[in-house]
Amino acid sequence: QVQLVESGGGLVQAGGSLRLSCAASGIIFRISTMGWYRQAPGKQRELVASITSSGSTNYADSVKGRFTISRDNAKNTVYLQMNSLKPEDTAVYYCKANTALNYWGQGTQVTVSS
């Protein structure tokens, strides 16, 4: 059974930082491309950042220079360090595992107040 469990969301003031974690089980984590997505109210879900099994990363233009994705294969965990947060970063953040099938976590709320 595949499980992706996100944590680390919360309420933060603009300019602040948060670190999201996504712990995976039931997949061969080390060969999986992992991604963070977000969905704001009334908007489509969008890619925030992704990281391949070899460590190559990709970021949405809106978060480049502020967010960093990383992974710890020994802990089957992917992280999203978010700095210089803006109110427009407010959304539910989801972890996704790209394997033969795609798996999603349940999401964690990030709210940035102005």
Side-chain angles (χ1 to χ4, degrees):
Q1 182 180 359
V2 177
Q3 278 194 314
L4 301 176
V5 180
E6 300 103 333
S7 61
L11 173 64
V12 64
Q13 288 188 332
S17 298
L18 285 174
R19 189 175 83 151
L20 305 183
S21 300
C22 172
S25 60
I27 61 172
I28 307 175
F29 181 84
R30 69 181 185 280
I31 65 171
S32 301
T33 292
M34 301 297 296
W36 285 99
Y37 289 70
R38 67 186 180 187
Q39 188 166 18
K43 295 188 176 181
Q44 288 189 330
R45 192 171 297 189
E46 63 176 358
L47 174 68
V48 175
S50 63
I51 184 166
T52 67
S53 58
S54 62
S56 296
T57 58
N58 180 50
Y59 295 93
D61 288 343
S62 59
V63 306
K64 282 180 181 176
R66 300 189 298 122
F67 290 11
T68 302
I69 189 170
S70 62
R71 64 191 297 159
D72 185 337
N73 288 341
K75 295 183 178 180
N76 284 4
T77 300
V78 62
Y79 304 97
L80 185 68
Q81 178 66 45
M82 305 186 294
N83 299 328
S84 302
L85 282 160
K86 304 175 180 180
E88 51 264 43
D89 294 318
T90 295
V92 178
Y93 283 70
Y94 297 91
C95 175
K96 179 185 176 184
N98 294 347
T99 62
L101 299 175
N102 292 327
Y103 298 97
W104 293 89
Q106 82 286 353
T108 185
Q109 176 71 46
V110 171
T111 303
V112 185
S113 64
S114 57

